[in-house]
Structure formats: structure tokens, C-alpha cells
Amino acid sequence: MAGTKIPIYVSSVADPGTGNLELDLEGAVGQAYSLTTSSNLNLYADSASDAILAPTDFPRSIGASGVDTLWATVPLAAMTASTEAHTVQVTGRPSVAALTFYAPKIIFADAAGTQITTLADTMWVGSAYNVRLVAINPLTNAVCSDCNFAVNSGSQTSNKVETIPATIDVVNGEATVTFRSLTEYIDVPATLSLVGPNAALLSATLSPLYFKDPPVPFPVLVEIYDKHGAPSAKTLAIPTPYFSTSQEYLDGIADSLVVHYHRSFHKDSLPDSVFVKWDLKAENGGVLDSIKLDKNQIMAGTNCNGDLCDSIL
């Protein structure tokens, strides 16, 4: 598959006269060689390396094992067709090794792995929904377990339809795509299109999609502020007057939220509570914490004029 490194073995061949060729491992030790490759074929000294071998990295010498192993691939973004044939040969030798690389295809799929092209249910504007994205090996028609790349929204994606986050990583051939629409699509349906590193070869589309405004306002944007800093327990021992525990400092810890909703509230429809969950990882030393704002706190932070309240809490 494109983007997957495959090994290339360089050694010396003995001449048996007839029959199969035999490797001359002992005679190969210390021999220098260079390689000639087709365009866009990248060579690497190690399967885990991202450093592409340059022409100045040759000639190379074969080590004590009698075999030098290099790794080759074609970047998915560089492919011009779904199947590409490439060649590599030891410079000055007649034998040519042929390598064929394939681009995967990406599809939206259900839990059973069957391709889907639309979602039947009408969805709420502002709500987040999940759908499965799968990379398929065209040779086996199975999930491409060694396919790893990123996808983004394509040009066919409708206005105000977005994925969360904007860039989604396909890992071992699979990804969960979280998406939403911030506007209604009733009479004219919406489209969600995702493209990979090579948009001409990797794209998947969901359409038609329908979104309806919910009966209550929904949050569009949340702003987080460090309004009232507090001395941290991990503060360095900085002497007075450069630091004082009686003063407030911006410590990088969020203590204020501003929530923007898609429309104004009727006073009777204000939320009775807002629950905030912080995404901290306990294994990294963070503190798993959350906070619940009750109705009184929400009312205190909302500007109302009669029965109509601002869309910002």
C-alpha cells in the first residue's frame, strides 16, 4: 500500500552455472553500491525512519551480514493514479526489481463494515453525531490495517457543516468522525465530504443529510478565561517583592466561561444547570475535576430584558 514501507535487500549473487541463483553473503561484505529508482520512490535506511535517503547517501557499503536492507515506499500524496508501478536497481547492474503500490479507498461504513452513503434520520442542528470511516485495501476489499493518514473536510462539504476536530486521524484503517451542522438543511440537503492526503484518490461522501433546529437554543462556542488567577501549589519559591501569595496572578487555570448559544433565550427556557467537564488525564498528573453551575448562577450571569434573555451566558 502507498505509504507503507517495504524491504529491499541488496547483496552479492554467486553464479551457480545452472539452476536458481545463490547469494554470496561472504563475498558481499564491504562491497559498495548505489541504487537507481523511478521517480517519487522514496528510500529509507530503517523502517521506523522518516529521513528519506538522498543521492548523497550513496554509495553505501554492505555490512558484516552480507545483506544491506533498505526500505521503499511511495507517499500517498504523491500518487497520480490508484495503482503505480515503480522500479529499483543496483546502478550499473541489469536486474531491475519491480514494485507496485496501491492507494486505499475510504468509505463511510456501518458497524458491519458495509458502505453507507447517507443517514436516514433527520438530525438536530448543533448536536454532534458520530459516523465510522474506513480505509479499504483494494486488493482484499478488507480494512487496510496498515493505513495511517489524516482526513479533512473536502470542498463538497456544505456550509456550516463541520467535523470535530477539523483534522481526523485514520489509525490502522479506521476512524470515528464526529460532525455537526450549525444551520438547518430541510428543503435542500447537506453534504459531508472527507478527503485524504490525495484528494483526487481518497474521498468519501455522505449525502443527503438533513438537519432541523432544536426546540431550545444550543451552544455554538465556549470561551474560557483565566479571570481570577490564584497562586499555584507548584509555584516556585520566588522572593518578595517579585511574588506575593496575597496577590492574584494569571496562573493558566480557567476560572471563567462564556457560552454563546445560537439564539436568544426566553426567560422561562434558560438552562437549569450547566455541567462542565475538564479533559485532564490523571495518569499525567492532572486532576479529574468537573463543575456544575446551578440556576441561580446562570441567572446571575445572564442579561435579560423582560422575558427575552441574551444568547450569551
Side-chain angles (χ1 to χ4, degrees), residues 15-294:
D15 183 4
T18 59
N20 295 328
L21 296 177
E22 297 179 358
L23 293 180
D24 179 14
L25 299 180
E26 187 173 323
V29 175
Q31 287 198 36
Y33 72 92
S34 295
L35 293 180
T36 301
T37 67
S38 53
S39 178
N40 290 333
L41 183 69
N42 292 344
L43 298 177
Y44 303 83
D46 187 273
S47 61
S49 174
D50 291 326
I52 301 172
L53 292 177
T56 53
D57 293 316
F58 292 93
R60 291 171 58 92
S61 294
I62 298 176
S65 66
V67 178
D68 196 23
T69 303
L70 299 180
W71 298 81
T73 194
V74 174
L76 187 53
M79 293 190 70
T80 57
S82 58
T83 302
E84 285 191 1
H86 288 266
T87 59
V88 59
Q89 68 182 114
V90 175
T91 304
R93 300 291 190 271
S95 298
V96 178
L99 310 173
T100 302
F101 292 89
Y102 302 87
K105 61 179 181 179
I106 55 175
I107 62 170
F108 291 105
D110 60 18
T114 303
Q115 182 175 6
I116 58 175
T117 58
T118 187
L119 298 176
D121 295 335
T122 297
M123 294 166 279
W124 292 120
V125 173
S127 294
Y129 298 89
N130 291 333
V131 65
R132 185 183 180 209
L133 184 73
V134 178
I136 299 296
N137 184 326
L139 298 180
T140 63
N141 283 325
V143 175
C144 177
S145 59
D146 57 352
C147 287
N148 299 278
F149 50 84
V151 296
N152 299 87
S153 290
S155 59
Q156 296 182 47
T157 298
S158 299
N159 183 41
K160 293 192 176 182
V161 174
E162 62 185 19
T163 61
I164 308 170
T167 298
I168 299 164
D169 291 324
V170 176
V171 180
N172 299 329
E174 298 194 47
T176 298
V177 178
T178 302
F179 69 97
R180 67 176 180 176
S181 175
L182 298 180
T183 190
E184 273 195 325
Y185 284 95
I186 298 297
D187 297 327
V188 178
T191 296
L192 172 64
S193 172
L194 296 181
V195 296
N198 191 322
L201 300 179
L202 283 109
S203 64
T205 301
L206 275 181
S207 186
L209 301 174
Y210 295 93
F211 296 90
K212 180 180 179 180
D213 274 341
V216 296
F218 61 85
V220 175
L221 174 68
V222 176
E223 298 175 341
I224 303 177
Y225 294 95
D226 178 15
K227 183 178 179 182
H228 297 293
S232 170
K234 299 180 180 179
T235 299
L236 295 175
I238 303 174
T240 306
Y242 305 105
F243 176 80
S244 173
T245 56
S246 64
Q247 295 180 347
E248 290 185 344
Y249 296 86
L250 297 182
D251 54 9
I253 299 175
D255 50 41
S256 303
L257 292 176
V258 177
V259 184
H260 297 256
Y261 287 78
H262 88 294
R263 63 175 173 84
S264 301
F265 287 92
H266 188 279
K267 194 170 185 178
D268 291 340
S269 299
L270 283 170
D272 59 11
S273 60
V274 174
F275 185 79
V276 181
K277 180 180 179 181
W278 304 110
D279 186 21
L280 295 178
K281 308 300 183 183
E283 62 269 22
N284 294 331
V287 178
L288 294 176
D289 197 7
S290 60
I291 185 172
K292 180 182 179 181
L293 305 177
D294 60 27

